[in-house]
Amino acid sequence: MRTLIRFSLGAAAVVLAGLAPVWAKTGPTDPLPFGQLAQHGGSVPWNIVVLLTLLTVLPALLLSMTPFVRLLVIFHFLRQALGTQSTPSNQTLIGLALVLTYFLMQPVAASIHQAAVVPYEKGQVDALQAIDRGSVPLRHFMLRYAREKDLALFLQMAHEPRPARPDDVPMRVVVPAYIISELKVGFQMGAALFMPFLVIDVVVAAITTSVGMLQLPPVVISTPLKILLFVMVDGWNLLVGSLMKSFS
């Protein structure tokens, strides 16, 4: 749990790195990077609204920068392929995806803690330097799974020059490229997962139609067969093992 909290703090610092230019211009007496807003006619309540809005979207941003996207997409494809409607429930699938995300991101969280949190706690670096240091492990993780095609797309849209090395790619390019790359991989694995169960549906539908069993929907017969097949081959173990190996 402490590691998860440390990673959340480090990733939050990375997300807030986009505010670094504004933060750098803030006066020494301003506790928040919204001091300039108050100087230009803004008010403290509006500053609080902006800060609360940022905290509201922060969990979604953090989850988008982790394997959570791919895991949740594949789990939903599995549920649709099995035809079990709402079983497992959304809460169960999200919980499993969060636990697996924590398992996969623990090394990254440890790197962020050692590179940014520890020096900041010792007073060796300031907040901006800690943000820069903490963004490096997370950037390297996302670059491992972001496709070059997606990176080139967002580099072109951002009008950024071609970087000489991975560390030169800005986070505002890495994050969206990583997200759509993970969505593509999730849909690919979900489609491959769907095929065996689709074959069962087709076979059952063909058999029930040929014998004239029209009063009973084919899905009533195919669903127990798909669940039985999934249990017999130890499907959860195979699926989770394949997902973990896809990140190794």
Side-chain angles (χ1 to χ4, degrees):
M1 183 60 67
R2 292 182 60 187
T3 305
L4 182 59
I5 294 174
R6 291 170 180 171
F7 169 72
S8 300
L9 292 175
V14 173
V15 174
L16 292 175
L19 296 174
V22 178
W23 204 317
K25 298 178 182 178
T26 305
T29 58
D30 294 329
L32 294 175
F34 307 108
Q36 290 184 340
L37 181 62
Q39 294 175 6
H40 291 82
S43 60
V44 175
W46 278 110
N47 296 344
I48 296 176
V49 170
V50 174
L51 180 60
L52 292 178
T53 303
L54 179 62
L55 292 176
T56 302
V57 301
L58 192 59
L61 293 176
L62 295 180
L63 293 178
S64 300
M65 298 160 65
T66 62
F68 183 82
V69 177
R70 183 191 303 189
L71 297 174
L72 194 60
V73 168
I74 294 174
F75 289 153
H76 278 286
F77 266 108
L78 173 64
R79 188 171 65 181
Q80 293 295 324
L82 288 174
T84 54
Q85 302 300 326
S86 59
T87 304
S89 63
N90 289 333
Q91 292 81 356
T92 303
L93 294 180
I94 292 174
L96 178 58
L98 284 174
V99 171
L100 295 178
T101 299
Y102 167 74
F103 178 83
L104 290 169
M105 296 300 294
Q106 189 174 11
V108 181
S111 299
I112 293 176
H113 178 72
Q114 292 295 329
V117 179
V118 172
Y120 181 73
E121 290 178 347
K122 294 180 179 180
Q124 298 175 354
V125 296
D126 57 19
L128 291 178
Q129 292 174 337
I131 291 174
D132 292 336
R133 291 189 177 190
S135 65
V136 174
L138 191 58
R139 180 190 287 110
H140 287 172
F141 173 81
M142 290 189 291
L143 284 174
R144 287 180 59 189
Y145 304 104
R147 300 188 305 165
E148 293 185 4
K149 182 179 180 180
D150 298 328
L151 290 170
L153 170 65
F154 285 100
L155 281 172
Q156 180 182 2
M157 295 176 63
H159 303 288
E160 294 282 348
R162 185 179 181 87
R165 54 189 185 129
D167 291 339
D168 296 334
V169 182
M171 287 294 291
R172 74 187 189 106
V173 171
V174 177
V175 174
Y178 172 78
I179 293 174
I180 63 174
S181 298
E182 287 294 280
L183 287 174
K184 182 179 185 299
V185 174
F187 272 77
Q188 286 178 335
M189 297 183 69
L193 185 64
F194 224 106
M195 297 307 296
F197 301 107
L198 181 61
V199 171
I200 295 178
D201 286 332
V202 172
V203 171
V204 170
I207 294 176
T208 55
T209 302
S210 63
V211 299
M213 192 182 299
L214 303 179
Q215 69 277 10
L216 188 64
V219 67
V220 177
I221 302 175
S222 63
T223 299
L225 294 178
K226 290 187 290 187
I227 296 175
L228 180 62
L229 174 64
F230 189 72
V231 173
M232 288 180 59
V233 300
D234 198 5
W236 285 111
N237 182 277
L238 292 176
L239 177 62
V240 173
S242 300
L243 286 174
M244 295 297 101
K245 292 177 182 178
S246 68
F247 287 99
S248 62

